[in-house]
Amino acid sequence: MNGNYLEFNVFFDIIGTIAFAISGAILACKKNMDILGVIVLGLVTALGGGFVRDLVLGINPPNMFQNSTNALISTVFSVLVFIFFFTKKNFSNNHLLKLMNRFMIITDTIGLASFTITGMATALSLGYHKKFLLIFVGAITGVGGGMIRDVLAGTIPFIFKEQIYAGACILGSIVFIIARNFFSYELSMIICFFTVLVFRLLAVKKNWNLPRIKNQEE
């Protein structure tokens, strides 16, 4: 693992933290939470996946308790989201609601793609190379924070009902594992990022879903 590889990992970690913090904060605003609720939801979305990953990999205490940088970044961006929407006041405005939904999807997808990479990179940095483990930690790091966010917000997690979500992480992880046999780690990470990003956004645009049972009302 060279220095550039580790620097790329830090870059994606920061990008994912910011994106997921914004995603969690937006959902909290939609749920009419106060500023504390917005900060908490931003924090758990940004840090939750990494926390679960560290438990799986045996990192004790988890990185979120060893380094407060990501927690501070999450708090700052959650507060900024709260301030922005607090000044807008009227959440019944359809244009504002559409803006919130679209921006949340974009930031959530960026976080998903970034943390899929950091999950695998963390495992590799610890000397783990088993393909199944890499795919699992990539997926759980990507979706973990969003699952906790949705549960706390009282909604069914995206992973269980929305367009292709965890599937995008799994696909990106597989692409990364294959790509690193032919390309540098840095290029493989970039390929993985855009694989998750494009596949997830296409799933949203085309409304791709896994088979599910629908109620008569639907």
Side-chain angles (χ1 to χ4, degrees), residues 155-204:
T155 63
I156 299 174
F158 271 11
I159 188 175
F160 298 135
K161 68 183 181 71
E162 293 296 328
Q163 299 90 352
I164 305 298
Y165 196 71
C169 295
I170 294 171
L171 177 63
S173 299
I174 293 172
V175 168
F176 174 81
I177 290 171
I178 295 172
R180 72 190 184 103
N181 292 318
F182 303 97
F183 307 110
S184 66
Y185 276 106
E186 295 88 349
L187 182 55
S188 298
M189 292 168 88
I190 293 172
I191 293 172
C192 172
F193 177 84
F194 283 104
T195 298
V196 178
L197 190 75
V198 172
F199 189 63
R200 167 65 179 153
L201 291 178
L202 274 176
V204 172

mmCIF file of all heavy atoms in Angstrom, residues 155-204:
data_model
loop_
_atom_site.group_PDB
_atom_site.id
_atom_site.type_symbol
_atom_site.label_atom_id
_atom_site.label_comp_id
_atom_site.label_asym_id
_atom_site.label_seq_id
_atom_site.Cartn_x
_atom_site.Cartn_y
_atom_site.Cartn_z
ATOM 1 N N THR A 155 -38.588 5.435 9.329
ATOM 2 C CA THR A 155 -38.952 5.012 7.978
ATOM 3 C C THR A 155 -38.303 3.664 7.676
ATOM 4 O O THR A 155 -37.313 3.282 8.295
ATOM 5 C CB THR A 155 -38.489 6.033 6.921
ATOM 6 O OG1 THR A 155 -37.051 6.117 6.956
ATOM 7 C CG2 THR A 155 -39.062 7.413 7.205
ATOM 8 N N ILE A 156 -38.885 2.945 6.708
ATOM 9 C CA ILE A 156 -38.297 1.680 6.285
ATOM 10 C C ILE A 156 -36.985 1.995 5.568
ATOM 11 O O ILE A 156 -36.954 2.817 4.654
ATOM 12 C CB ILE A 156 -39.231 0.910 5.338
ATOM 13 C CG1 ILE A 156 -40.552 0.594 6.039
ATOM 14 C CG2 ILE A 156 -38.577 -0.375 4.837
ATOM 15 C CD1 ILE A 156 -41.592 -0.036 5.145
ATOM 16 N N PRO A 157 -35.870 1.376 5.976
ATOM 17 C CA PRO A 157 -34.580 1.670 5.341
ATOM 18 C C PRO A 157 -34.611 1.498 3.827
ATOM 19 O O PRO A 157 -35.268 0.599 3.309
ATOM 20 C CB PRO A 157 -33.636 0.644 6.000
ATOM 21 C CG PRO A 157 -34.247 0.382 7.326
ATOM 22 C CD PRO A 157 -35.734 0.425 7.099
ATOM 23 N N PHE A 158 -33.896 2.391 3.119
ATOM 24 C CA PHE A 158 -33.792 2.336 1.667
ATOM 25 C C PHE A 158 -33.448 0.943 1.169
ATOM 26 O O PHE A 158 -33.965 0.481 0.163
ATOM 27 C CB PHE A 158 -32.693 3.304 1.195
ATOM 28 C CG PHE A 158 -33.180 4.699 0.925
ATOM 29 C CD1 PHE A 158 -34.445 5.111 1.313
ATOM 30 C CD2 PHE A 158 -32.366 5.622 0.279
ATOM 31 C CE1 PHE A 158 -34.887 6.394 1.062
ATOM 32 C CE2 PHE A 158 -32.794 6.918 0.016
ATOM 33 C CZ PHE A 158 -34.062 7.296 0.421
ATOM 34 N N ILE A 159 -32.552 0.285 1.903
ATOM 35 C CA ILE A 159 -32.018 -0.997 1.450
ATOM 36 C C ILE A 159 -33.116 -2.046 1.290
ATOM 37 O O ILE A 159 -32.981 -2.994 0.522
ATOM 38 C CB ILE A 159 -30.937 -1.507 2.437
ATOM 39 C CG1 ILE A 159 -30.230 -2.729 1.874
ATOM 40 C CG2 ILE A 159 -31.535 -1.779 3.801
ATOM 41 C CD1 ILE A 159 -29.079 -3.211 2.744
ATOM 42 N N PHE A 160 -34.257 -1.864 1.995
ATOM 43 C CA PHE A 160 -35.329 -2.850 1.962
ATOM 44 C C PHE A 160 -36.457 -2.504 1.005
ATOM 45 O O PHE A 160 -37.319 -3.344 0.745
ATOM 46 C CB PHE A 160 -35.917 -3.046 3.364
ATOM 47 C CG PHE A 160 -34.929 -3.577 4.356
ATOM 48 C CD1 PHE A 160 -34.844 -3.020 5.626
ATOM 49 C CD2 PHE A 160 -34.077 -4.621 4.031
ATOM 50 C CE1 PHE A 160 -33.927 -3.502 6.546
ATOM 51 C CE2 PHE A 160 -33.158 -5.106 4.950
ATOM 52 C CZ PHE A 160 -33.081 -4.549 6.205
ATOM 53 N N LYS A 161 -36.478 -1.281 0.473
ATOM 54 C CA LYS A 161 -37.652 -0.922 -0.324
ATOM 55 C C LYS A 161 -37.378 -0.073 -1.558
ATOM 56 O O LYS A 161 -38.154 -0.077 -2.498
ATOM 57 C CB LYS A 161 -38.678 -0.174 0.546
ATOM 58 C CG LYS A 161 -38.234 1.215 0.998
ATOM 59 C CD LYS A 161 -39.274 1.843 1.915
ATOM 60 C CE LYS A 161 -38.853 3.243 2.358
ATOM 61 N NZ LYS A 161 -38.928 4.233 1.266
ATOM 62 N N GLU A 162 -36.257 0.679 -1.561
ATOM 63 C CA GLU A 162 -36.039 1.608 -2.660
ATOM 64 C C GLU A 162 -35.307 0.960 -3.827
ATOM 65 O O GLU A 162 -34.964 -0.214 -3.793
ATOM 66 C CB GLU A 162 -35.254 2.825 -2.158
ATOM 67 C CG GLU A 162 -36.029 3.697 -1.183
ATOM 68 C CD GLU A 162 -37.247 4.352 -1.792
ATOM 69 O OE1 GLU A 162 -37.226 4.664 -2.996
ATOM 70 O OE2 GLU A 162 -38.244 4.535 -1.074
ATOM 71 N N GLN A 163 -35.048 1.778 -4.844
ATOM 72 C CA GLN A 163 -34.307 1.322 -6.017
ATOM 73 C C GLN A 163 -32.991 0.672 -5.596
ATOM 74 O O GLN A 163 -32.576 0.819 -4.465
ATOM 75 C CB GLN A 163 -34.039 2.505 -6.956
ATOM 76 C CG GLN A 163 -35.296 3.176 -7.482
ATOM 77 C CD GLN A 163 -35.793 4.302 -6.590
ATOM 78 O OE1 GLN A 163 -35.305 4.509 -5.496
ATOM 79 N NE2 GLN A 163 -36.782 5.012 -7.071
ATOM 80 N N ILE A 164 -32.361 -0.025 -6.503
ATOM 81 C CA ILE A 164 -31.130 -0.754 -6.213
ATOM 82 C C ILE A 164 -30.220 0.069 -5.307
ATOM 83 O O ILE A 164 -29.819 1.173 -5.656
ATOM 84 C CB ILE A 164 -30.382 -1.095 -7.519
ATOM 85 C CG1 ILE A 164 -31.302 -1.856 -8.486
ATOM 86 C CG2 ILE A 164 -29.137 -1.906 -7.209
ATOM 87 C CD1 ILE A 164 -31.811 -3.181 -7.978
ATOM 88 N N TYR A 165 -29.914 -0.466 -4.126
ATOM 89 C CA TYR A 165 -29.141 0.282 -3.129
ATOM 90 C C TYR A 165 -27.908 -0.514 -2.715
ATOM 91 O O TYR A 165 -26.787 -0.217 -3.131
ATOM 92 C CB TYR A 165 -30.042 0.583 -1.920
ATOM 93 C CG TYR A 165 -29.507 1.654 -0.994
ATOM 94 C CD1 TYR A 165 -29.481 2.983 -1.393
ATOM 95 C CD2 TYR A 165 -29.071 1.336 0.281
ATOM 96 C CE1 TYR A 165 -29.004 3.974 -0.542
ATOM 97 C CE2 TYR A 165 -28.607 2.320 1.145
ATOM 98 C CZ TYR A 165 -28.573 3.634 0.731
ATOM 99 O OH TYR A 165 -28.102 4.599 1.572
ATOM 100 N N ALA A 166 -28.123 -1.558 -1.927
ATOM 101 C CA ALA A 166 -26.998 -2.412 -1.544
ATOM 102 C C ALA A 166 -26.388 -3.080 -2.771
ATOM 103 O O ALA A 166 -25.179 -3.316 -2.824
ATOM 104 C CB ALA A 166 -27.453 -3.466 -0.538
ATOM 105 N N GLY A 167 -27.235 -3.362 -3.770
ATOM 106 C CA GLY A 167 -26.747 -3.988 -4.998
ATOM 107 C C GLY A 167 -25.687 -3.150 -5.689
ATOM 108 O O GLY A 167 -24.748 -3.684 -6.291
ATOM 109 N N ALA A 168 -25.821 -1.823 -5.593
ATOM 110 C CA ALA A 168 -24.825 -0.931 -6.196
ATOM 111 C C ALA A 168 -23.480 -1.069 -5.476
ATOM 112 O O ALA A 168 -22.425 -1.072 -6.112
ATOM 113 C CB ALA A 168 -25.321 0.514 -6.128
ATOM 114 N N CYS A 169 -23.534 -1.200 -4.136
ATOM 115 C CA CYS A 169 -22.299 -1.392 -3.359
ATOM 116 C C CYS A 169 -21.627 -2.714 -3.711
ATOM 117 O O CYS A 169 -20.409 -2.776 -3.871
ATOM 118 C CB CYS A 169 -22.610 -1.385 -1.862
ATOM 119 S SG CYS A 169 -23.219 0.175 -1.231
ATOM 120 N N ILE A 170 -22.437 -3.755 -3.808
ATOM 121 C CA ILE A 170 -21.899 -5.084 -4.122
ATOM 122 C C ILE A 170 -21.256 -5.085 -5.504
ATOM 123 O O ILE A 170 -20.153 -5.605 -5.696
ATOM 124 C CB ILE A 170 -23.007 -6.147 -4.027
ATOM 125 C CG1 ILE A 170 -23.479 -6.276 -2.571
ATOM 126 C CG2 ILE A 170 -22.509 -7.499 -4.546
ATOM 127 C CD1 ILE A 170 -24.716 -7.133 -2.390
ATOM 128 N N LEU A 171 -21.945 -4.484 -6.476
ATOM 129 C CA LEU A 171 -21.398 -4.403 -7.826
ATOM 130 C C LEU A 171 -20.091 -3.619 -7.829
ATOM 131 O O LEU A 171 -19.097 -4.043 -8.437
ATOM 132 C CB LEU A 171 -22.407 -3.749 -8.771
ATOM 133 C CG LEU A 171 -21.920 -3.535 -10.214
ATOM 134 C CD1 LEU A 171 -21.615 -4.872 -10.881
ATOM 135 C CD2 LEU A 171 -22.968 -2.759 -11.022
ATOM 136 N N GLY A 172 -20.084 -2.477 -7.145
ATOM 137 C CA GLY A 172 -18.867 -1.659 -7.080
ATOM 138 C C GLY A 172 -17.713 -2.404 -6.424
ATOM 139 O O GLY A 172 -16.568 -2.297 -6.868
ATOM 140 N N SER A 173 -18.017 -3.174 -5.377
ATOM 141 C CA SER A 173 -16.979 -3.947 -4.686
ATOM 142 C C SER A 173 -16.383 -5.003 -5.605
ATOM 143 O O SER A 173 -15.155 -5.198 -5.641
ATOM 144 C CB SER A 173 -17.574 -4.615 -3.439
ATOM 145 O OG SER A 173 -18.076 -3.667 -2.533
ATOM 146 N N ILE A 174 -17.236 -5.682 -6.357
ATOM 147 C CA ILE A 174 -16.769 -6.717 -7.290
ATOM 148 C C ILE A 174 -15.905 -6.093 -8.385
ATOM 149 O O ILE A 174 -14.851 -6.622 -8.750
ATOM 150 C CB ILE A 174 -17.959 -7.469 -7.899
ATOM 151 C CG1 ILE A 174 -18.685 -8.288 -6.818
ATOM 152 C CG2 ILE A 174 -17.506 -8.388 -9.038
ATOM 153 C CD1 ILE A 174 -19.986 -8.910 -7.275
ATOM 154 N N VAL A 175 -16.355 -4.946 -8.892
ATOM 155 C CA VAL A 175 -15.594 -4.248 -9.929
ATOM 156 C C VAL A 175 -14.221 -3.840 -9.393
ATOM 157 O O VAL A 175 -13.204 -3.970 -10.091
ATOM 158 C CB VAL A 175 -16.372 -3.007 -10.429
ATOM 159 C CG1 VAL A 175 -15.467 -2.111 -11.280
ATOM 160 C CG2 VAL A 175 -17.589 -3.439 -11.240
ATOM 161 N N PHE A 176 -14.169 -3.366 -8.142
ATOM 162 C CA PHE A 176 -12.895 -2.976 -7.543
ATOM 163 C C PHE A 176 -11.947 -4.174 -7.434
ATOM 164 O O PHE A 176 -10.759 -4.080 -7.771
ATOM 165 C CB PHE A 176 -13.130 -2.383 -6.152
ATOM 166 C CG PHE A 176 -11.857 -2.087 -5.396
ATOM 167 C CD1 PHE A 176 -11.136 -0.932 -5.642
ATOM 168 C CD2 PHE A 176 -11.377 -2.976 -4.441
ATOM 169 C CE1 PHE A 176 -9.961 -0.657 -4.961
ATOM 170 C CE2 PHE A 176 -10.205 -2.713 -3.747
ATOM 171 C CZ PHE A 176 -9.493 -1.548 -4.004
ATOM 172 N N ILE A 177 -12.476 -5.301 -6.963
ATOM 173 C CA ILE A 177 -11.658 -6.506 -6.794
ATOM 174 C C ILE A 177 -11.076 -6.967 -8.132
ATOM 175 O O ILE A 177 -9.904 -7.360 -8.215
ATOM 176 C CB ILE A 177 -12.494 -7.632 -6.148
ATOM 177 C CG1 ILE A 177 -12.789 -7.278 -4.683
ATOM 178 C CG2 ILE A 177 -11.768 -8.978 -6.227
ATOM 179 C CD1 ILE A 177 -13.789 -8.197 -4.018
ATOM 180 N N ILE A 178 -11.891 -6.877 -9.182
ATOM 181 C CA ILE A 178 -11.408 -7.269 -10.518
ATOM 182 C C ILE A 178 -10.422 -6.239 -11.056
ATOM 183 O O ILE A 178 -9.349 -6.578 -11.569
ATOM 184 C CB ILE A 178 -12.591 -7.421 -11.492
ATOM 185 C CG1 ILE A 178 -13.489 -8.589 -11.056
ATOM 186 C CG2 ILE A 178 -12.094 -7.644 -12.930
ATOM 187 C CD1 ILE A 178 -14.785 -8.701 -11.858
ATOM 188 N N ALA A 179 -10.766 -4.955 -10.899
ATOM 189 C CA ALA A 179 -9.944 -3.878 -11.476
ATOM 190 C C ALA A 179 -8.547 -3.822 -10.874
ATOM 191 O O ALA A 179 -7.575 -3.538 -11.579
ATOM 192 C CB ALA A 179 -10.648 -2.533 -11.289
ATOM 193 N N ARG A 180 -8.410 -4.130 -9.576
ATOM 194 C CA ARG A 180 -7.087 -3.997 -8.965
ATOM 195 C C ARG A 180 -6.105 -5.069 -9.433
ATOM 196 O O ARG A 180 -4.915 -4.975 -9.147
ATOM 197 C CB ARG A 180 -7.205 -3.988 -7.436
ATOM 198 C CG ARG A 180 -7.541 -5.299 -6.779
ATOM 199 C CD ARG A 180 -7.869 -5.088 -5.311
ATOM 200 N NE ARG A 180 -8.118 -6.360 -4.629
ATOM 201 C CZ ARG A 180 -7.260 -6.965 -3.836
ATOM 202 N NH1 ARG A 180 -6.071 -6.423 -3.632
ATOM 203 N NH2 ARG A 180 -7.563 -8.110 -3.246
ATOM 204 N N ASN A 181 -6.609 -6.059 -10.173
ATOM 205 C CA ASN A 181 -5.715 -7.045 -10.791
ATOM 206 C C ASN A 181 -5.070 -6.501 -12.069
ATOM 207 O O ASN A 181 -4.085 -7.064 -12.554
ATOM 208 C CB ASN A 181 -6.481 -8.323 -11.121
ATOM 209 C CG ASN A 181 -6.937 -9.073 -9.880
ATOM 210 O OD1 ASN A 181 -6.188 -9.185 -8.923
ATOM 211 N ND2 ASN A 181 -8.167 -9.555 -9.900
ATOM 212 N N PHE A 182 -5.650 -5.424 -12.596
ATOM 213 C CA PHE A 182 -5.168 -4.878 -13.863
ATOM 214 C C PHE A 182 -4.672 -3.439 -13.754
ATOM 215 O O PHE A 182 -3.842 -3.006 -14.545
ATOM 216 C CB PHE A 182 -6.292 -4.926 -14.911
ATOM 217 C CG PHE A 182 -6.844 -6.304 -15.145
ATOM 218 C CD1 PHE A 182 -7.999 -6.723 -14.504
ATOM 219 C CD2 PHE A 182 -6.200 -7.185 -16.005
ATOM 220 C CE1 PHE A 182 -8.518 -7.991 -14.730
ATOM 221 C CE2 PHE A 182 -6.712 -8.457 -16.236
ATOM 222 C CZ PHE A 182 -7.870 -8.865 -15.584
ATOM 223 N N PHE A 183 -5.204 -2.703 -12.774
ATOM 224 C CA PHE A 183 -4.873 -1.285 -12.648
ATOM 225 C C PHE A 183 -4.293 -0.993 -11.264
ATOM 226 O O PHE A 183 -4.284 -1.850 -10.383
ATOM 227 C CB PHE A 183 -6.119 -0.418 -12.881
ATOM 228 C CG PHE A 183 -6.838 -0.714 -14.165
ATOM 229 C CD1 PHE A 183 -8.079 -1.338 -14.152
ATOM 230 C CD2 PHE A 183 -6.274 -0.374 -15.390
ATOM 231 C CE1 PHE A 183 -8.752 -1.618 -15.330
ATOM 232 C CE2 PHE A 183 -6.942 -0.643 -16.579
ATOM 233 C CZ PHE A 183 -8.175 -1.273 -16.551
ATOM 234 N N SER A 184 -3.860 0.237 -11.079
ATOM 235 C CA SER A 184 -3.364 0.665 -9.770
ATOM 236 C C SER A 184 -4.530 0.739 -8.787
ATOM 237 O O SER A 184 -5.697 0.779 -9.173
ATOM 238 C CB SER A 184 -2.713 2.047 -9.884
ATOM 239 O OG SER A 184 -3.687 3.030 -10.208
ATOM 240 N N TYR A 185 -4.200 0.765 -7.490
ATOM 241 C CA TYR A 185 -5.237 0.883 -6.471
ATOM 242 C C TYR A 185 -6.017 2.182 -6.652
ATOM 243 O O TYR A 185 -7.247 2.206 -6.513
ATOM 244 C CB TYR A 185 -4.616 0.851 -5.074
ATOM 245 C CG TYR A 185 -4.373 -0.539 -4.549
ATOM 246 C CD1 TYR A 185 -3.081 -1.063 -4.486
ATOM 247 C CD2 TYR A 185 -5.424 -1.334 -4.104
ATOM 248 C CE1 TYR A 185 -2.849 -2.348 -3.997
ATOM 249 C CE2 TYR A 185 -5.207 -2.610 -3.619
ATOM 250 C CZ TYR A 185 -3.916 -3.114 -3.570
ATOM 251 O OH TYR A 185 -3.696 -4.386 -3.090
ATOM 252 N N GLU A 186 -5.308 3.259 -6.976
ATOM 253 C CA GLU A 186 -5.977 4.549 -7.124
ATOM 254 C C GLU A 186 -7.013 4.518 -8.242
ATOM 255 O O GLU A 186 -8.155 4.942 -8.056
ATOM 256 C CB GLU A 186 -4.947 5.650 -7.403
ATOM 257 C CG GLU A 186 -3.970 5.905 -6.275
ATOM 258 C CD GLU A 186 -2.739 5.011 -6.362
ATOM 259 O OE1 GLU A 186 -2.733 4.055 -7.164
ATOM 260 O OE2 GLU A 186 -1.782 5.263 -5.631
ATOM 261 N N LEU A 187 -6.617 3.988 -9.403
ATOM 262 C CA LEU A 187 -7.538 3.921 -10.530
ATOM 263 C C LEU A 187 -8.676 2.956 -10.241
ATOM 264 O O LEU A 187 -9.836 3.213 -10.606
ATOM 265 C CB LEU A 187 -6.791 3.493 -11.800
ATOM 266 C CG LEU A 187 -7.617 3.427 -13.099
ATOM 267 C CD1 LEU A 187 -8.298 4.765 -13.355
ATOM 268 C CD2 LEU A 187 -6.732 3.040 -14.275
ATOM 269 N N SER A 188 -8.397 1.873 -9.565
ATOM 270 C CA SER A 188 -9.429 0.901 -9.210
ATOM 271 C C SER A 188 -10.467 1.527 -8.281
ATOM 272 O O SER A 188 -11.670 1.261 -8.398
ATOM 273 C CB SER A 188 -8.799 -0.320 -8.527
ATOM 274 O OG SER A 188 -7.902 -0.977 -9.392
ATOM 275 N N MET A 189 -10.009 2.376 -7.359
ATOM 276 C CA MET A 189 -10.922 3.066 -6.451
ATOM 277 C C MET A 189 -11.832 4.034 -7.213
ATOM 278 O O MET A 189 -13.031 4.127 -6.938
ATOM 279 C CB MET A 189 -10.115 3.813 -5.390
ATOM 280 C CG MET A 189 -9.377 2.907 -4.429
ATOM 281 S SD MET A 189 -8.173 3.790 -3.403
ATOM 282 C CE MET A 189 -9.172 4.296 -2.029
ATOM 283 N N ILE A 190 -11.257 4.729 -8.178
ATOM 284 C CA ILE A 190 -12.047 5.667 -8.978
ATOM 285 C C ILE A 190 -13.085 4.918 -9.811
ATOM 286 O O ILE A 190 -14.250 5.331 -9.917
ATOM 287 C CB ILE A 190 -11.121 6.502 -9.897
ATOM 288 C CG1 ILE A 190 -10.236 7.420 -9.045
ATOM 289 C CG2 ILE A 190 -11.937 7.323 -10.889
ATOM 290 C CD1 ILE A 190 -9.160 8.146 -9.835
ATOM 291 N N ILE A 191 -12.678 3.791 -10.396
ATOM 292 C CA ILE A 191 -13.607 2.976 -11.186
ATOM 293 C C ILE A 191 -14.745 2.468 -10.309
ATOM 294 O O ILE A 191 -15.925 2.499 -10.696
ATOM 295 C CB ILE A 191 -12.862 1.793 -11.844
ATOM 296 C CG1 ILE A 191 -11.886 2.300 -12.900
ATOM 297 C CG2 ILE A 191 -13.850 0.806 -12.465
ATOM 298 C CD1 ILE A 191 -10.970 1.229 -13.459
ATOM 299 N N CYS A 192 -14.403 2.012 -9.102
ATOM 300 C CA CYS A 192 -15.409 1.539 -8.153
ATOM 301 C C CYS A 192 -16.387 2.653 -7.802
ATOM 302 O O CYS A 192 -17.601 2.449 -7.796
ATOM 303 C CB CYS A 192 -14.734 1.013 -6.887
ATOM 304 S SG CYS A 192 -15.866 0.618 -5.541
ATOM 305 N N PHE A 193 -15.853 3.842 -7.525
ATOM 306 C CA PHE A 193 -16.687 4.988 -7.147
ATOM 307 C C PHE A 193 -17.725 5.288 -8.219
ATOM 308 O O PHE A 193 -18.924 5.409 -7.932
ATOM 309 C CB PHE A 193 -15.798 6.211 -6.911
ATOM 310 C CG PHE A 193 -16.558 7.477 -6.592
ATOM 311 C CD1 PHE A 193 -16.958 7.738 -5.293
ATOM 312 C CD2 PHE A 193 -16.869 8.390 -7.583
ATOM 313 C CE1 PHE A 193 -17.671 8.897 -4.991
ATOM 314 C CE2 PHE A 193 -17.573 9.544 -7.300
ATOM 315 C CZ PHE A 193 -17.973 9.803 -5.993
ATOM 316 N N PHE A 194 -17.270 5.389 -9.465
ATOM 317 C CA PHE A 194 -18.202 5.741 -10.535
ATOM 318 C C PHE A 194 -19.143 4.588 -10.891
ATOM 319 O O PHE A 194 -20.262 4.831 -11.359
ATOM 320 C CB PHE A 194 -17.434 6.225 -11.770
ATOM 321 C CG PHE A 194 -16.933 7.633 -11.638
ATOM 322 C CD1 PHE A 194 -15.604 7.911 -11.391
ATOM 323 C CD2 PHE A 194 -17.817 8.700 -11.727
ATOM 324 C CE1 PHE A 194 -15.148 9.207 -11.242
ATOM 325 C CE2 PHE A 194 -17.387 10.014 -11.586
ATOM 326 C CZ PHE A 194 -16.051 10.268 -11.342
ATOM 327 N N THR A 195 -18.718 3.361 -10.643
ATOM 328 C CA THR A 195 -19.617 2.227 -10.861
ATOM 329 C C THR A 195 -20.816 2.315 -9.931
ATOM 330 O O THR A 195 -21.975 2.197 -10.355
ATOM 331 C CB THR A 195 -18.881 0.892 -10.621
ATOM 332 O OG1 THR A 195 -17.813 0.764 -11.553
ATOM 333 C CG2 THR A 195 -19.842 -0.289 -10.789
ATOM 334 N N VAL A 196 -20.545 2.526 -8.637
ATOM 335 C CA VAL A 196 -21.629 2.645 -7.660
ATOM 336 C C VAL A 196 -22.485 3.866 -7.959
ATOM 337 O O VAL A 196 -23.724 3.793 -7.957
ATOM 338 C CB VAL A 196 -21.066 2.743 -6.225
ATOM 339 C CG1 VAL A 196 -22.208 2.924 -5.214
ATOM 340 C CG2 VAL A 196 -20.259 1.503 -5.885
ATOM 341 N N LEU A 197 -21.841 4.994 -8.234
ATOM 342 C CA LEU A 197 -22.541 6.250 -8.479
ATOM 343 C C LEU A 197 -23.489 6.136 -9.674
ATOM 344 O O LEU A 197 -24.692 6.433 -9.564
ATOM 345 C CB LEU A 197 -21.521 7.364 -8.727
ATOM 346 C CG LEU A 197 -22.056 8.798 -8.770
ATOM 347 C CD1 LEU A 197 -22.385 9.272 -7.362
ATOM 348 C CD2 LEU A 197 -21.033 9.737 -9.397
ATOM 349 N N VAL A 198 -22.966 5.675 -10.800
ATOM 350 C CA VAL A 198 -23.763 5.605 -12.031
ATOM 351 C C VAL A 198 -24.874 4.563 -11.909
ATOM 352 O O VAL A 198 -26.027 4.822 -12.283
ATOM 353 C CB VAL A 198 -22.860 5.292 -13.247
ATOM 354 C CG1 VAL A 198 -23.708 5.016 -14.485
ATOM 355 C CG2 VAL A 198 -21.907 6.444 -13.502
ATOM 356 N N PHE A 199 -24.553 3.397 -11.365
ATOM 357 C CA PHE A 199 -25.549 2.330 -11.262
ATOM 358 C C PHE A 199 -26.689 2.733 -10.336
ATOM 359 O O PHE A 199 -27.867 2.498 -10.640
ATOM 360 C CB PHE A 199 -24.892 1.044 -10.756
ATOM 361 C CG PHE A 199 -25.781 -0.160 -10.812
ATOM 362 C CD1 PHE A 199 -26.264 -0.640 -12.029
ATOM 363 C CD2 PHE A 199 -26.149 -0.824 -9.655
ATOM 364 C CE1 PHE A 199 -27.085 -1.749 -12.090
ATOM 365 C CE2 PHE A 199 -26.971 -1.935 -9.696
ATOM 366 C CZ PHE A 199 -27.439 -2.401 -10.925
ATOM 367 N N ARG A 200 -26.363 3.362 -9.206
ATOM 368 C CA ARG A 200 -27.392 3.797 -8.262
ATOM 369 C C ARG A 200 -28.274 4.893 -8.860
ATOM 370 O O ARG A 200 -29.502 4.852 -8.752
ATOM 371 C CB ARG A 200 -26.725 4.273 -6.973
ATOM 372 C CG ARG A 200 -27.625 5.039 -6.010
ATOM 373 C CD ARG A 200 -28.739 4.217 -5.440
ATOM 374 N NE ARG A 200 -29.538 5.009 -4.522
ATOM 375 C CZ ARG A 200 -30.809 4.820 -4.244
ATOM 376 N NH1 ARG A 200 -31.465 3.830 -4.810
ATOM 377 N NH2 ARG A 200 -31.462 5.591 -3.399
ATOM 378 N N LEU A 201 -27.656 5.888 -9.510
ATOM 379 C CA LEU A 201 -28.441 6.975 -10.100
ATOM 380 C C LEU A 201 -29.304 6.481 -11.256
ATOM 381 O O LEU A 201 -30.429 6.951 -11.453
ATOM 382 C CB LEU A 201 -27.508 8.103 -10.565
ATOM 383 C CG LEU A 201 -26.813 8.896 -9.444
ATOM 384 C CD1 LEU A 201 -25.892 9.945 -10.029
ATOM 385 C CD2 LEU A 201 -27.845 9.542 -8.518
ATOM 386 N N LEU A 202 -28.787 5.528 -12.023
ATOM 387 C CA LEU A 202 -29.598 4.916 -13.083
ATOM 388 C C LEU A 202 -30.789 4.174 -12.491
ATOM 389 O O LEU A 202 -31.901 4.223 -13.036
ATOM 390 C CB LEU A 202 -28.746 3.946 -13.916
ATOM 391 C CG LEU A 202 -27.957 4.533 -15.079
ATOM 392 C CD1 LEU A 202 -27.102 3.451 -15.732
ATOM 393 C CD2 LEU A 202 -28.887 5.168 -16.114
ATOM 394 N N ALA A 203 -30.570 3.495 -11.379
ATOM 395 C CA ALA A 203 -31.652 2.761 -10.724
ATOM 396 C C ALA A 203 -32.752 3.709 -10.263
ATOM 397 O O ALA A 203 -33.942 3.401 -10.359
ATOM 398 C CB ALA A 203 -31.104 1.968 -9.542
ATOM 399 N N VAL A 204 -32.338 4.887 -9.777
ATOM 400 C CA VAL A 204 -33.319 5.887 -9.345
ATOM 401 C C VAL A 204 -34.073 6.438 -10.550
ATOM 402 O O VAL A 204 -35.305 6.531 -10.544
ATOM 403 C CB VAL A 204 -32.628 7.039 -8.583
ATOM 404 C CG1 VAL A 204 -33.615 8.170 -8.299
ATOM 405 C CG2 VAL A 204 -32.027 6.514 -7.281
#
